[in-house]
Amino acid sequence: MALTDNKYGHESVLIGPVENYLNLENGDVAIDCTLGLGGHSEMFLDHIGSKGKLIAFEQDESNLKIAEKRLSKNKNKIIFIPRNFVHLQQEIEDRKISGVKLVFMDLGLASTQVDASDRGFSFLKDGPLDMRFDKRSPITAKEVLERCSEKRLVEIFREYGEERYSKKFARIIKENLPINTTKELADLIQKYSHTPPNHRGKKIHPATRIFQALRIEVNNELEVLQDTLNQAIKVLAPGGRLIVISYHSLEDRIVKHTMKDSTRDCICPREVLICNCNHSPELKILTKKPIVPTEEEIGMNPRSRSAKMRIAEKL
Ligand SMILES: C[S@@+](CC[C@H](N)C(=O)[O-])C[C@H]1O[C@@H](n2cnc3c(N)ncnc32)[C@H](O)[C@@H]1O
């Protein structure tokens, strides 16, 4: 088993269970949609042998640089793509790549991003309210707060943060603009929240849901995920596997339903009496329930605690 270590600033999650589900052979093509610091990719490279090819997407320039260095001895086997993984199918088709045996996604943030205060992802670190994975993308979290109407903010907090007090927080935020930093936003939410922050107990910090919602909006994460899962199913060769690790219920729901829908032979709406969808099953689900980290892994890497891994195989 390839060992990861956090000298690169990020501990790879569920590395043993991922490896147990790989069915890669020498010469295979594998796609890592979320290269991050290259921990999982390092393992895939071991499995695809000297003749294999790894296609690695990463939209964060600084993580990509670290991963490129880490994997440099295998650089002839890797195509690094410094873009959003939503371009998966186009990039694969443009390069006339076929026979893809793995599409892997380890969603969300790398620890390097959470820990860097200047990226603005964490309410525990003070920094500019940014939250862009890709610094080339146009809109920061600060701009979302300024440009979106109060009504739209309510929707964002409700849909992407499942925040009960969306209306209240949207109003308070609008009344207190400009909000320039993560600390200003976290303090404001906390001031008007009934839930005292308690990092040792079960209660989550009151700003958690608002930060999650803003990050999803800034990076258009759910739409991109849905779109890319559909593409992944198309590019996989028969017998190829789709492995997805997600970190919150909104992502997991999309992964679960997409996989499930792809096992069906009919996806017509319920009210349609005679099937006219011409759908045929494309996947077989290999994990009836999601695989989660052991207590031991969570003890060693608390950031793995919300991980859920689902795996399906292309028919
Ligand atoms: C959890 S980390 C991956 C860690 C990696 N598996 C490892 O072992 O080092 C997720 C990475 O995916 C990247 N990422 C997230 N969404 C992306 C997207 N839509 N396109 C490309 N990269 C993305 C993030 O920038 C981050 O570096």
Side-chain angles (χ1 to χ4, degrees):
M1 189 224 277
L3 287 175
T4 57
D5 75 49
N6 62 12
K7 76 178 175 205
Y8 297 100
H10 177 83
E11 195 80 53
S12 299
V13 170
L14 290 169
I15 195 100
V18 172
E19 185 162 41
N20 288 339
Y21 274 93
L22 295 180
N23 61 349
L24 295 170
E25 290 172 4
N26 193 356
D28 277 348
V29 177
I31 302 177
D32 187 345
C33 290
T34 50
L35 175 68
L37 287 306
H40 289 100
S41 272
E42 193 168 54
M43 179 169 71
F44 305 149
L45 285 162
D46 281 352
H47 283 255
I48 59 176
S50 54
K51 295 197 187 112
K53 208 65 182 167
L54 175 76
I55 325 293
F57 287 82
E58 176 52 65
Q59 60 176 345
D60 182 320
E61 199 187 2
S62 50
N63 282 352
L64 181 62
K65 268 196 193 137
I66 301 171
E68 277 178 332
K69 204 165 164 207
R70 177 179 190 171
L71 306 176
S72 59
K73 71 175 192 303
N74 279 305
K75 67 172 188 271
N76 297 336
K77 286 160 55 181
I78 314 174
I79 301 174
F80 293 104
I81 303 185
R83 290 185 90 185
N84 193 306
F85 55 58
V86 76
H87 302 292
L88 174 71
Q89 194 175 358
Q90 184 210 332
E91 292 284 352
I92 298 305
E93 287 176 359
D94 285 356
R95 291 179 166 79
K96 302 198 176 356
I97 292 168
S98 59
V100 175
K101 296 310 278 289
L102 171 71
V103 175
F104 176 75
M105 300 173 118
D106 178 18
L107 299 166
L109 295 162
S111 299
T112 44
Q113 295 163 320
V114 184
D115 293 338
S117 54
D118 64 327
R119 302 301 298 275
F121 284 113
S122 171
F123 48 76
L124 299 174
K125 314 243 170 191
D126 194 18
L129 202 50
D130 189 324
M131 299 196 193
R132 288 170 301 167
F133 277 125
D134 182 343
K135 290 203 171 169
R136 295 163 295 186
S137 48
I139 297 190
T140 64
K142 171 175 155 52
E143 286 157 345
V144 166
L145 297 182
E146 287 165 4
R147 292 188 198 177
C148 289
S149 64
E150 190 175 317
K151 188 166 165 262
R152 176 67 192 137
L153 284 186
V154 176
E155 284 167 9
I156 292 171
F157 298 157
R158 190 177 288 148
E159 280 173 36
Y160 300 158
E162 299 181 295
E163 171 57 64
R164 267 174 78 188
Y165 303 106
S166 298
K167 272 192 180 165
K168 177 175 85 172
F169 289 135
R171 181 177 43 80
I172 289 161
I173 284 169
K174 281 294 185 189
E175 283 167 4
N176 283 275
L177 291 176
I179 300 171
N180 295 308
T181 70
T182 48
K183 189 167 184 317
E184 279 171 40
L185 178 59
D187 288 350
L188 185 69
I189 302 293
Q190 195 176 312
K191 186 172 161 196
Y192 290 94
S193 169
H194 302 299
T195 322
N198 179 352
H199 301 298
R200 270 162 286 144
K202 287 208 164 154
K203 281 174 189 157
I204 61 166
H205 189 290
T208 306
R209 294 177 194 284
I210 299 292
F211 270 65
Q212 174 184 304
L214 279 175
R215 196 194 86 196
I216 291 174
E217 170 69 12
V218 166
N219 299 291
N220 194 18
E221 288 177 38
L222 301 185
E223 227 175 278
V224 161
L225 174 60
Q226 180 64 72
D227 197 350
T228 311
L229 288 172
N230 296 340
Q231 297 178 36
I233 296 168
K234 287 192 193 127
V235 305
L236 275 171
R241 291 188 175 175
L242 173 62
I243 303 184
V244 187
I245 305 177
S246 62
Y247 293 87
H248 57 75
S249 57
L250 299 172
E251 284 173 346
D252 183 53
R253 217 173 288 155
I254 292 174
V255 178
K256 181 178 160 182
H257 289 302
T258 307
M259 287 185 174
K260 218 169 164 194
D261 286 349
S262 304
T263 63
R264 297 212 174 103
D265 48 14
C266 169
I267 53 166
C268 289
R270 279 183 184 195
E271 57 277 11
V272 173
L273 296 177
I274 299 170
C275 169
N276 62 3
C277 66
N278 289 329
H279 190 261
S280 49
E282 292 169 292
L283 293 181
K284 172 173 84 181
I285 292 175
L286 304 185
T287 47
K288 278 209 173 92
K289 286 198 170 149
I291 293 174
V292 296
T294 58
E295 287 301 320
E296 192 189 354
E297 176 165 1
I298 295 170
M300 286 189 314
N301 179 15
R303 284 180 180 160
S304 68
R305 66 186 173 277
S306 52
K308 285 189 175 164
M309 175 165 75
R310 295 186 187 269
I311 302 167
E313 187 173 287
K314 178 85 177 261
L315 294 172

